[in-house]
């Protein structure tokens, strides 16, 4: 039996239209069992077991623990990366204070560049004649350090690299190469912190972390240290002296410099060479840098410097060798190697994560902006065509006579608003034959009784056991007397002209369904205003674009018109998903039917009034949409625009980007707290302005007041987070294989008055 024959076997014999135009009294029919949905065509998956088997299954909760762990790990990665880049706890060289006279300070300033502060009195040493110790700070750098190593190898020279622990963790192989080629490594702190400006615990932490990173990368420790922002002994300040003593107590040999080339300022190759040349054959510790920016001048200067030093019979060697001391390297213990390896992995992971997130977030921001602008243009084109009486396929034909229409109202516990809904359907200016079927889906309240007691002409009430909204709709379809079907929720009211506008596009035989314009009726309060903005911008503005692109994802359950033959071809309303409206629309698009948007067909619906009610509604919507996307996933391989455009759009903008939204917020908060907040505030303000402009235009198209946009900035701090948490919950529910049961929300009876 084909689907069309299956549908025909369920449809009741149709009475004469003249007798059903406006019945004088309402009719109540009671069904002991809901009419099952007709067989489905291959566009969908095979029928699943009834949903009631799963109603007692609790929603998954363990994934929230995983989400919390993920947030903690993300925050930890950002903090670690910020610490490594000297953003968290950032320190810079403070202006030198006016030092009080000190014999110890005078002795340091007048001594050599290498300090031994392990004893009670400071001791210093300098290099012997015609001996230089080339030292390079702030590396290792994956670009410049290898070039310097190549230059040193060509000249047969050795050097000492005062490395930053974070750079060691990021470049372990380069660290091993430095040691393997006979060079020496010194400690330059983990995050290039000014040790004269930090407390003692931070000083010890900086040195210890660097030793751990060195142990993990190369299996050694070092006895040499050079504090960042230091120079020659003559420049040592009182606070720096205290830090030097603290390093001495840790067992380090402190290395300052004789000749500070200031190559970090890039004064030119010639100037660097002049600053690095010792005078009159003296020995010297020479300070340069192999990281922190463009070091091309330094590389060229080292090549020329070594050539000149060789001509003057200088020997370029490591610092300890120049002093006639044993190597600064000592073997690291197994525990330090293990911890250092973990630190290196964490550091590289944090750096990679932060870099990836920066690119992803930039791409997400660009995509979001482009999508918004593109949809605005499409909405403008749609409005011009629709208001000019045109559709994409040309001017829409007109009905030779108003077709007969059946309005189906599935209702479950809708006693608060069912009277207003039914009365709005009957009080219409539609000139054709009209019947209204209220299908009470096993309500436990007085929904059916209220609808029947109205005794309105043309209204039938059908009672059935609870089977879910799709079953109620299929019951209504089976009992409908006419070929044009309008579906409306039991909490929604129509304007008098709505049915007339909604039915008009179906005069085109290629159109299988029409989406109306849903508006929020209860807009008072912040939650109501947020939903009002969302409906106008996020729903109705988008539907204009989807109409032009031929990939309408959803005809909302609140208001939609359908051709009966189109419903028969796709097998009626499916029970496979919780988003029966999305599932139905996707099946219709895959069946080759056009689905269009009619802006003048207005329906006023009651939106949730609390965050908990809103959560339940959107959870069901999102989960059902995921079900429908998965069910119709093969559409991406089918001809036509629907599969690739619609499913691709939904996947990117309603699944992937919302899942990344928590990262956006975490990185934004991190940037505000740890760095300069102005860029973050500027980007946020820019997006709000763009959204405000799109909102203004969308409200203008819908003939709504733009004054409601004042709540838009605040929407970013509660509503947006709720929406992406809904997506996370829905995706987790789907991935874990749990079956979500139908979520009902409490009705307030907004239109009862």
């Amino acid at each position: 039996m084909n689907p069309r024959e299956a549908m025909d076997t369920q449809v009741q014999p149709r009475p004469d239209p003249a007798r059903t135009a406006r019945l004088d009294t309402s009719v109540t029919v009671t069904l002991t069992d809901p009419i099952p949905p007709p067989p489905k065509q291959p566009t969908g998956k095979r029928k699943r077991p009834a949903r009631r088997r799963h109603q007692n299954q609790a929603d998954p909760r363990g994934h929230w623990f995983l989400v919390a762990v993920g947030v903690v790990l993300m925050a930890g990665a950002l903090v670690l990366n910020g610490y490594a880049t000297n953003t968290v706890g950032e320190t810079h060289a403070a202006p030198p204070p006016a030092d009080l006279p000190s014999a110890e300070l005078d002795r340091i300033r007048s001594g050599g560049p290498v300090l031994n502060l392990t004893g009670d009195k400071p001791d210093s040493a300098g290099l012997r004649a015609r001996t230089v110790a080339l030292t390079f700070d702030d590396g290792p750098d994956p670009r410049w350090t290898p070039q310097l190593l190549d230059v040193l190898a060509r000249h047969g020279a050795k050097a000492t690299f005062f490395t930053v622990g974070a750079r060691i963790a990021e470049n372990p192989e380069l660290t091993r190469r430095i040691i393997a080629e006979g060079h020496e490594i010194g400690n330059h702190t983990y995050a290039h912190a000014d040790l004269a400006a930090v407390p003692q615990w931070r000083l010890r932490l900086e040195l210890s972390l660097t030793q751990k990173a060195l142990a993990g990368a190369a299996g050694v420790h070092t006895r040499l240290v050079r504090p960042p922002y230091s120079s020659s002994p003559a420049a040592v300040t009182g606070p720096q002296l205290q830090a030097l003593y603290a390093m001495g107590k840790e067992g380090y040999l402190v290395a300052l410099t004789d000749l500070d080339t200031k190559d970090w300022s890039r004064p030119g190759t010639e100037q660097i060479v002049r600053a690095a040349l010792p005078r009159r054959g003296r020995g010297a510790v020479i300070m340069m840098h192999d990281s922190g920016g463009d070091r091309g001048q330094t590389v060229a200067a080292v090549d020329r410097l070594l050539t000149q030093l060789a001509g003057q019979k200088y020997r370029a060697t490591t610092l300890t060798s120049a002093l006639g001391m044993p190597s600064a390297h000592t073997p690291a213990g197994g525990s330090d190697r293990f911890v250092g390896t973990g630190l290196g992995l964490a550091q590289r992971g944090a750096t990679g994560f932060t870099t990836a997130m920066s690119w992803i977030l930039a791409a997400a921001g660009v995509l979001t902006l482009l999508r918004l602008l593109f949809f605005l243009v499409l909405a403008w084109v749609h409005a011009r065509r629709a208001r000019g009486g045109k559709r994409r396929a040309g001017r829409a034909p007109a009905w030779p006579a108003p077709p007969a229409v059946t309005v189906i109202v599935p209702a479950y516990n809708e006693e608060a608003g069912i009277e207003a809904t039914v009365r709005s359907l009957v009080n219409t200016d539609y000139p054709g034959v009209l019947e209204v079927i209220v299908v009470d889906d096993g309500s436990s309240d007085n929904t059916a009784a209220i609808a029947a007691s109205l005794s309105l002409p043309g209204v039938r009430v059908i009672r059935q056991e609870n089977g879910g909204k799709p079953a109620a709709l299929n019951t209504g379809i089976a009992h409908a007397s006419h070929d044009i079907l309008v579906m409306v929720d039991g909490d929604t009211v129509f304007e008098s002209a709505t049915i007339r506008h909604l039915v008009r596009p179906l005069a085109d035989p290629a159109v299988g369904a029409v989406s109306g314009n849903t508006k929020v009726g209860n807009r008072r309060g912040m939650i109501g205003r947020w939903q009002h903005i969302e409906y106008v911008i996020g729903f109705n503005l988008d539907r204009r674009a989807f109409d032009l692109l031929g990939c309408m994802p959803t005809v909302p359950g609140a208001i939609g018109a359908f051709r009966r033959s189109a419903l028969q071809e796709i097998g009626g309303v499916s029970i496979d998903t919780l988003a029966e409206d999305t599932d139905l629309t996707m099946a219709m698009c895959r069946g080759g039917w056009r689905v269009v948007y009619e802006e003048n067909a207005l329906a006023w619906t009651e939106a949730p009034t609390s965050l908990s009610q809103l959560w339940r509604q959107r959870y069901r919507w999102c989960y059902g949409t995921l079900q429908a996307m998965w069910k119709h996933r093969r559409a991406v391989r089918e001809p036509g625009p629907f599969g690739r455009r619609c499913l691709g759009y939904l996947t990117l903008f309603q699944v992937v980007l919302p899942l990344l939204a928590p990262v956006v917020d975490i990185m934004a908060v991190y940037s505000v707290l740890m760095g300069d907040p102005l860029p973050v505030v500027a980007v946020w303000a820019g997006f709000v302005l763009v959204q405000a402009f799109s909102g203004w235009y969308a409200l203008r198209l819908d003939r709504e007041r733009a004054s409601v946009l004042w709540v838009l900035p605040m929407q970013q701090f509660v509503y947006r987070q709720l929406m992406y948490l809904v997506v996370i919950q829905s995706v987790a529910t789907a991935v874990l294989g749990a079956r979500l049961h139908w979520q009902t929300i409490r009705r307030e009876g907004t239109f009862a008055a």
Side-chain angles (χ1 to χ4, degrees):
M1 181 182 297
N2 62 39
R4 189 182 300 273
E5 293 171 341
M7 174 66 80
D8 289 342
T9 61
Q10 297 183 19
V11 178
Q12 303 298 316
R14 301 184 185 180
D16 186 288
R19 295 193 306 111
T20 60
R22 302 281 179 175
L23 300 179
D24 293 334
T25 59
S26 62
V27 178
T28 302
V29 179
T30 301
L31 302 179
T32 57
D33 294 300
I35 294 180
K40 303 177 69 65
Q41 286 203 350
T43 54
K45 297 170 67 175
R46 63 183 179 87
K47 193 187 325 183
R48 296 178 180 174
R51 185 178 297 115
R52 276 179 288 181
R53 290 178 56 189
H54 303 274
Q55 286 186 348
N56 294 327
Q57 181 176 353
D59 294 340
R61 289 292 181 263
H63 68 280
W64 286 119
F65 173 75
L66 298 179
V67 170
V69 171
V71 170
V72 171
L73 290 177
M74 284 189 292
L78 291 174
V79 170
L80 179 57
N81 183 74
Y83 183 82
T85 56
N86 205 8
T87 301
V88 178
E90 182 177 7
T91 62
H92 294 295
D99 294 316
L100 297 175
S102 168
E104 290 184 342
L105 192 57
D106 291 340
R107 185 171 181 178
I108 293 291
R109 290 174 174 175
S110 61
V114 182
L115 306 177
N116 182 354
L117 302 175
T118 58
D120 296 335
K121 295 182 179 180
D123 190 15
S124 64
L127 270 61
R128 65 189 68 176
R130 301 207 178 273
T131 303
V132 295
L134 296 178
T135 63
F136 300 96
D137 292 2
D138 300 348
D141 183 276
R143 178 179 181 184
W144 302 111
T145 304
Q147 295 184 37
L148 285 170
L149 291 173
D150 292 341
V151 171
L152 293 169
R154 285 200 305 269
H155 289 273
K158 305 300 179 184
T160 300
F161 290 82
F162 286 96
T163 52
V164 175
R167 304 289 81 77
I168 294 174
E170 291 175 358
N171 304 283
E173 293 184 359
L174 187 53
T175 304
R176 290 191 288 270
R177 178 186 170 184
I178 292 173
I179 297 175
E181 294 185 5
H183 305 290
E184 196 167 48
I185 286 183
N187 192 328
H188 200 50
T189 74
Y190 193 82
H192 203 268
D194 181 9
L195 298 183
V198 300
Q200 290 293 308
W201 68 264
R202 172 76 183 273
L203 182 149
R204 290 190 294 270
L205 178 65
E206 289 281 334
L207 300 178
S208 176
L209 287 177
T210 304
Q211 294 282 28
K212 297 286 193 304
L214 184 56
V220 299
H221 286 160
T222 181
R223 294 182 294 132
L224 287 176
V225 67
R226 173 176 285 167
Y229 309 108
S230 63
S231 182
S232 64
V236 173
T237 64
Q240 287 178 335
L241 179 60
Q242 299 303 316
L244 296 180
Y245 270 115
M247 287 180 270
K249 290 181 180 179
E250 296 293 323
Y252 287 97
L253 195 64
V254 181
L256 301 178
T257 186
D258 289 303
L259 301 175
D260 186 355
T261 63
K262 293 184 171 55
D263 61 330
W264 51 267
S265 64
R266 286 183 286 178
T269 300
E270 186 62 34
Q271 178 59 35
I272 296 174
V273 173
R274 283 200 300 267
L277 276 174
R279 300 295 183 264
R280 295 186 292 275
R282 295 177 181 173
V285 177
I286 304 170
M287 179 188 290
M288 297 184 185
H289 298 79
D290 63 334
S291 185
D294 187 343
R295 293 293 171 254
Q297 293 180 4
T298 300
V299 174
V302 170
D303 194 8
R304 292 176 55 182
L305 175 64
L306 288 173
T307 300
Q308 294 188 35
L309 289 174
Q312 298 178 21
K313 307 300 182 182
Y314 269 85
R315 181 172 68 102
T317 186
T318 63
L319 185 58
T320 55
S321 177
L323 293 171
M325 298 175 57
S327 171
H329 299 157
T330 59
S335 61
D336 282 351
R337 293 188 182 191
F338 178 80
V339 173
T341 300
L343 178 62
L345 291 174
Q347 180 64 63
R348 292 191 294 276
T351 301
F353 171 80
T354 304
T355 302
M357 284 299 100
S358 298
W359 283 104
I360 290 174
L361 295 179
V366 172
L367 285 173
T368 301
L369 184 61
L370 291 178
R371 169 220 170 255
L372 191 57
L373 296 177
F374 181 56
F375 272 39
L376 282 173
V377 172
L378 291 179
W380 175 77
V381 174
H382 181 276
R384 291 196 63 184
R385 291 187 179 183
R387 294 175 184 181
K390 298 180 180 179
R391 292 285 176 185
R392 202 165 102 189
R395 187 174 294 275
W399 288 101
V405 175
T406 296
V407 182
I408 302 172
V409 186
Y412 175 75
N413 289 350
E414 298 284 0
E415 66 176 5
I418 192 65
E419 179 178 350
T421 297
V422 175
R423 288 190 183 278
S424 74
L425 298 174
V426 174
N427 297 328
T428 177
D429 63 6
Y430 185 67
V433 175
L434 181 71
E435 74 168 343
V436 178
I437 299 178
V438 178
V439 182
D440 180 76
D441 189 42
S443 297
S444 58
D445 62 4
N446 295 320
T447 299
I450 292 174
S453 68
L454 299 177
S455 299
L456 294 172
V459 177
R460 283 194 286 163
V461 179
I462 299 176
R463 300 183 182 185
Q464 67 176 30
E465 293 182 2
N466 180 255
K469 185 178 179 182
L473 289 171
N474 284 320
T475 297
I477 293 171
H479 286 80
S481 304
H482 310 303
D483 290 327
I484 301 300
L485 307 177
V486 173
M487 299 179 186
V488 54
D489 286 342
D491 62 343
T492 302
V493 298
F494 279 10
E495 295 190 352
S496 60
T498 296
I499 296 177
R500 174 164 49 87
H501 289 301
L502 195 62
V503 170
R504 183 174 56 189
L506 289 170
D508 184 347
V511 175
V514 182
S515 169
N517 187 344
T518 313
K519 292 180 174 291
V520 174
N522 50 334
R523 304 178 183 178
R524 294 182 179 179
M526 192 66 68
I527 297 176
R529 291 187 177 96
W530 283 339
Q531 291 178 88
H532 168 46
I533 292 176
E534 181 187 30
Y535 270 62
V536 174
I537 301 177
F539 295 165
N540 295 329
L541 186 67
D542 288 0
R543 286 194 178 98
R544 299 175 190 272
F546 291 136
D547 188 345
L548 290 181
L549 294 173
C551 59
M552 187 77 67
T554 305
V555 173
I559 175 172
F562 299 86
R563 192 181 303 277
R564 189 188 191 102
S565 59
L567 290 173
Q568 288 175 332
E569 285 189 10
I570 65 173
V573 183
S574 170
I575 64 171
D576 290 344
T577 73
L578 290 183
E580 80 293 329
D581 47 5
T582 300
D583 188 1
L584 177 63
T585 308
M586 289 183 175
M588 194 159 289
C589 290
R590 293 182 68 186
W593 293 95
R594 284 187 60 208
V595 180
V596 301
Y597 172 69
E598 176 52 60
E599 63 175 333
N600 294 314
L602 302 180
W604 298 84
T605 189
E606 180 179 314
T609 56
S610 67
L611 290 178
S612 61
Q613 295 289 316
L614 180 62
W615 172 275
R616 297 178 69 183
Q617 181 195 68
R618 298 311 171 86
Y619 183 20
R620 176 177 63 82
W621 285 6
C622 185
Y623 180 81
T625 299
L626 291 175
Q627 288 179 308
M629 291 169 61
W630 181 254
K631 175 181 176 180
H632 296 282
R633 63 190 182 279
R634 293 184 179 86
V636 297
R637 300 196 300 267
E638 299 172 353
F642 169 75
R644 288 177 291 277
R645 293 179 185 176
C646 180
L647 295 183
Y649 172 86
L650 293 177
T651 300
L652 179 60
F653 289 101
Q654 294 196 17
V655 179
V656 175
L657 292 185
L659 289 177
L660 293 175
V663 182
V664 177
D665 289 348
I666 291 174
M667 293 194 72
V669 172
Y670 167 78
S671 299
V672 169
L673 295 178
M674 303 302 180
D676 185 0
L678 290 180
V680 177
V681 174
V683 171
W684 175 81
F687 268 98
V688 171
L689 287 176
V690 173
Q691 286 181 319
F693 173 76
S694 64
W696 168 81
Y697 184 66
L699 290 165
R700 182 183 178 187
L701 286 180
D702 263 24
R703 302 176 179 89
E704 296 278 1
R705 294 181 179 180
S707 58
V708 71
L709 290 175
W710 69 270
V711 304
L712 189 61
M714 292 179 286
Q715 192 180 38
Q716 303 296 312
F717 297 105
V718 177
Y719 196 80
R720 176 176 165 274
Q721 285 74 16
L722 181 69
M723 292 301 102
Y724 70 60
L725 289 175
V726 164
V727 175
I728 293 173
Q729 170 83 353
S730 301
V731 171
T733 303
V735 171
L736 294 175
R739 181 81 170 186
L740 177 65
H741 57 76
W742 189 270
Q743 302 275 352
T744 59
I745 63 173
R746 181 170 52 87
R747 303 301 185 190
E748 303 290 340
T750 299
F751 310 109

